[in-house]
Amino acid sequence: MQPTFSLRAAALALLFAAAAPALATDVTWTGTVTVDAAKAGWGRLARLPDGRWLAVTTRYPGGDTTTLQLSVSSDKARTWAPLSRVAEPKRKLDNGELFVLPDGRVLLAMRSLIDGVSYRLNVYASDDQGAHWRFLSTITRNENPAGREDRGVWEPVFTRLDDGTLSVVYADETRADETPSFNQVVSQQLSSDGGGTWSPAVTIASQPGGGKLRPGMPVMARRPDGGFLMVLETCGEDPQCPVSYKTSPDGRTWPEGLGTPMADQRCGPHVMTTRSGTMFVTSCFNEVSASEDGGDTWTTVKPPAWPLGFRHSWPAVVEFGPNEIGVVNVVDGSVQIRFGAYGQGANQR
């Protein structure tokens, strides 16, 4: 009788496994591709109106200039070719951020600096899907840092709000000389004309009362049931810069303080929401967290896409198709993507 019982138990186990819902934390990591191998860093992606993928990476040729390289893929991000380049003479460009407007115009934001002399967040625009770029606007600047290298503005990230307003959030050191002093804050500015002009800066995350803590590297994403979620790091006490998150009903109004701590995430966080409603977060801790309830609770995905441990690799999560994500990361001086099937897609592998 024992063999019959074992067969029935196995059949029931298979039946229940097939009926069990697929979870976002069920991720099967698949192939890896290289976007840019030429001493590259900081990769960010956007899907173009014609279905191709556009990537921005930072190039470090040496000297007083760093540039942004634009690359394109026409096969679902599996192979990449150089497309264009953005440079500003004698200035260091980095933290490239891509955003496609509803009319098809592509925006490219960046930080542009001369160490201790000039700090800017600039925006360029392309009307031919990244082949050519023209300067559009400066979001904010500090042209009088008095030789200080800790009075800059950094890491701009775009989000489109529900009414069509374009939001940008960024790390901001320009309040450090105020009373009370804020070593660094997260600032937000808004544009109603597609990035041509910007509202005055508003602080949306700071150490209560001021102090040495450094909230920064913010990224926003729309929550599946409405409202927005922002992740940020806070440096100043822990060298690995713990990550927290805050929520807003409209992407403009944010609670005071530094937000709710997030487990298994440290430094340089990135968040995104898939079309199916799953939210994913990653960071320089090189773990991936998933939420299926709009960010109220988070579960760490095992194994991670990149088992690197803590490293300043500046990863980002991207949705490439139904039940397929990828984690963009800087690995050994190149920008790479590791793809993963999640939920039902993982079960079908």
Side-chain angles (χ1 to χ4, degrees):
M1 295 298 292
Q2 185 64 37
T4 302
F5 175 79
S6 299
L7 287 173
R8 288 176 177 173
L12 286 171
L14 288 172
L15 178 62
F16 285 124
L23 301 176
T25 50
D26 299 329
V27 180
T28 300
W29 302 109
T30 56
T32 302
V33 303
T34 297
V35 178
D36 188 355
K39 296 181 179 179
W42 187 273
R44 296 293 184 264
L45 274 61
R47 191 173 185 270
L48 294 169
D50 65 4
R52 295 180 300 160
W53 282 91
L54 185 67
V56 59
T57 54
T58 306
R59 292 279 184 89
Y60 307 96
D64 297 330
T65 302
T66 62
T67 64
L68 299 184
Q69 174 67 42
L70 285 303
S71 303
V72 68
S73 173
S74 58
D75 58 0
K76 298 182 180 179
R78 266 54 182 186
T79 60
W80 293 85
L83 180 66
S84 57
R85 186 173 67 100
V86 173
E88 295 179 352
K90 302 295 184 180
R91 301 186 70 89
K92 295 179 180 179
L93 308 186
D94 204 346
N95 309 141
E97 169 77 9
L98 293 165
F99 191 83
V100 181
L101 295 173
D103 63 3
R105 171 173 282 184
V106 185
L107 300 183
L108 170 62
M110 69 204 70
R111 59 95 157 150
S112 169
L113 66 84
I114 302 172
D115 290 308
V117 176
S118 171
Y119 297 90
R120 302 171 187 168
L121 297 182
N122 286 340
V123 183
Y124 285 69
S126 174
D127 292 313
D128 56 9
Q129 303 196 73
H132 301 89
W133 299 90
R134 66 176 181 83
F135 177 82
L136 181 64
S137 65
T138 296
I139 299 167
T140 189
R141 66 178 73 205
N142 183 6
E143 303 293 349
N144 298 290
R148 298 290 297 268
E149 295 187 3
D150 57 355
R151 293 295 185 270
V153 284
W154 318 89
E155 304 111 15
V157 178
F158 291 133
T159 308
R160 189 168 183 264
L161 304 185
D162 291 337
D163 63 358
T165 300
L166 186 64
S167 160
V168 65
V169 292
Y170 56 91
D172 183 355
E173 296 176 314
T174 63
R175 296 191 61 191
D177 295 320
E178 297 181 2
T179 302
S181 173
F182 294 85
N183 196 321
Q184 182 172 276
V185 301
V186 172
S187 291
Q188 181 180 43
Q189 293 180 239
L190 303 174
S191 175
S192 59
D193 58 4
T197 59
W198 295 92
S199 68
V202 174
T203 297
I204 60 172
S206 62
Q207 181 180 3
K212 295 183 178 180
L213 294 183
R214 295 174 55 80
M217 299 203 76
V219 180
M220 283 172 57
R222 181 176 278 102
R223 304 178 78 187
D225 293 328
F228 294 83
L229 182 144
M230 176 176 65
V231 292
L232 63 148
E233 67 176 21
T234 299
C235 300
E237 291 181 347
D238 185 335
Q240 290 191 351
C241 305
V243 167
S244 59
Y245 67 93
K246 304 176 74 169
T247 60
S248 167
D250 55 8
R252 306 167 184 255
T253 307
W254 298 89
E256 294 184 359
L258 300 174
T260 302
M262 179 175 287
D264 296 331
Q265 301 296 339
R266 301 285 188 278
C267 181
H270 189 272
V271 62
M272 59 85 67
T273 304
T274 67
R275 283 170 286 181
S276 64
T278 301
M279 303 189 78
F280 287 98
V281 168
T282 191
S283 67
C284 290
F285 205 53
N286 282 298
E287 297 285 352
V288 176
S289 301
S291 175
E292 294 183 305
D293 56 12
D296 289 334
T297 60
W298 296 89
T299 302
T300 303
V301 173
K302 297 295 183 183
W306 297 96
L308 303 174
F310 183 83
R311 185 181 298 186
H312 289 131
S313 52
W314 315 120
V317 189
V318 181
E319 181 181 27
F320 289 99
N323 298 109
E324 184 180 49
I325 60 172
V327 180
V328 186
N329 218 339
V330 180
V331 183
D332 298 328
S334 66
V335 175
Q336 301 182 30
I337 306 170
R338 181 154 294 162
F339 297 95
Y342 74 93
Q344 192 61 42
N347 288 350
Q348 293 173 355
R349 293 280 176 172

